[in-house]
């Protein structure tokens, strides 16, 4: 959702609330995918806890990118090839930092404190997801899916298309007419 540049504080708060709700919907799905894949890997393989968690986080990152790009931040799409490449690169970079935050907490609990039972692993995995989510929300909205400026010309086209009179800019003051008498002065 584009940021209202000159909207009231209430409009900006409502816009932020809608953005948080969309981010939360996509993020909630990502958490379910992350925890589901994590627990599935833990049940059917002998992978270590943190390795299983990293794989689950990578699967959730792919799911989240699709959700953010085509749902939460679809109105902020830079449709140029260079814009998409930049967006994906930044998304992957910030997601990698989030992966380190999320799995660093699990790593510390598992190997630093030896809290590695199924309940403890899920608790610290979930805690890491929560802390990384705060970082991801800030970084995605600030750097990856920045609000695109709304061009003034587009609003003029919309007004004309909808049959409304375009907003007119004040006309410049007419220049004084040059007559032969004023030209000689």
């Amino acid at each position: 959702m584009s940021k209202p540049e000159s909207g009231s504080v209430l409009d900006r708060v409502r816009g932020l609330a809608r953005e948080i709700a969309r981010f939360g919907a996509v993020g909630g799905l990502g958490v379910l995918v992350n925890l589901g894949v994590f627990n599935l890997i833990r049940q059917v393989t002998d992978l270590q806890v943190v390795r299983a968690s990293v794989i689950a986080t990578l699967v959730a990152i792919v799911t989240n990118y699709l959700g953010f790009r085509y749902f939460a931040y679809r109105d902020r799409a830079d449709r140029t090839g260079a814009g998409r490449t930049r967006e994906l690169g930044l998304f992957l970079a910030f997601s990698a930092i989030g992966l380190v935050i999320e799995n660093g907490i699990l790593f510390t609990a598992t190997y630093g404190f030896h809290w590695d039972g199924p309940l403890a692993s899920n608790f610290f995995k979930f805690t890491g997801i929560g802390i990384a989510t705060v970082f991801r929300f800030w970084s995605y909205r600030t750097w990856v899916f920045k609000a695109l400026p709304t061009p003034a010309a587009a609003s003029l086209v919309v007004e004309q298309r909808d049959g409304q009179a375009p907003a007119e800019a004040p006309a410049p003051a007419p220049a004084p007419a040059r007559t032969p008498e004023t030209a000689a002065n």
Side-chain angles (χ1 to χ4, degrees):
M1 161 153 303
S2 296
K3 293 180 188 176
E5 295 299 324
S6 60
S8 71
V9 173
L10 185 58
D11 289 341
R12 287 184 290 206
V13 168
R14 285 181 182 153
L16 181 62
R18 282 190 298 270
E19 181 180 350
I20 289 171
R22 286 182 174 190
F23 185 91
V26 172
L29 176 62
V31 168
L32 292 176
V33 167
N34 199 333
L35 291 174
V37 170
F38 173 68
N39 284 298
L40 180 66
I41 291 172
R42 295 275 293 152
Q43 290 295 320
V44 300
T45 71
D46 291 331
L47 278 178
Q48 295 173 344
V49 173
V50 177
R51 288 184 184 171
S53 179
V54 168
I55 292 169
T57 303
L58 291 171
V59 172
I61 286 171
V62 171
T63 304
N64 286 347
Y65 180 75
L66 295 173
F68 290 135
R69 166 51 32 239
Y70 298 106
F71 175 68
Y73 295 113
R74 69 179 173 262
D75 59 337
R76 295 183 183 186
D78 184 353
R79 306 223 188 274
T80 63
R84 283 288 170 103
T85 302
R86 179 194 151 282
E87 174 186 282
L88 184 58
L90 286 173
F91 182 84
L92 292 175
F94 287 119
S95 293
I97 294 169
L99 180 142
V100 170
I101 293 168
E102 175 183 329
N103 292 293
I105 291 170
L106 182 61
F107 179 88
T108 302
T110 302
Y111 299 110
F113 296 104
H114 302 287
W115 295 329
D116 57 357
L119 184 61
S121 294
N122 277 290
F123 175 78
F124 288 107
K125 171 89 172 144
F126 188 76
T127 301
I129 289 171
I131 293 169
T133 296
V134 173
F135 168 76
R136 287 177 177 132
F137 178 72
W138 169 80
S139 62
Y140 293 166
R141 78 183 306 263
T142 304
W143 298 100
V144 181
F145 302 110
K146 295 191 307 189
L148 298 173
T150 54
S155 64
L156 179 62
V157 171
V158 170
E159 289 172 352
Q160 289 175 342
R161 182 193 69 213
D162 293 340
Q164 300 172 356
E168 294 185 27
R178 297 190 73 99
T179 60
E181 300 94 33
T182 58
N185 293 336

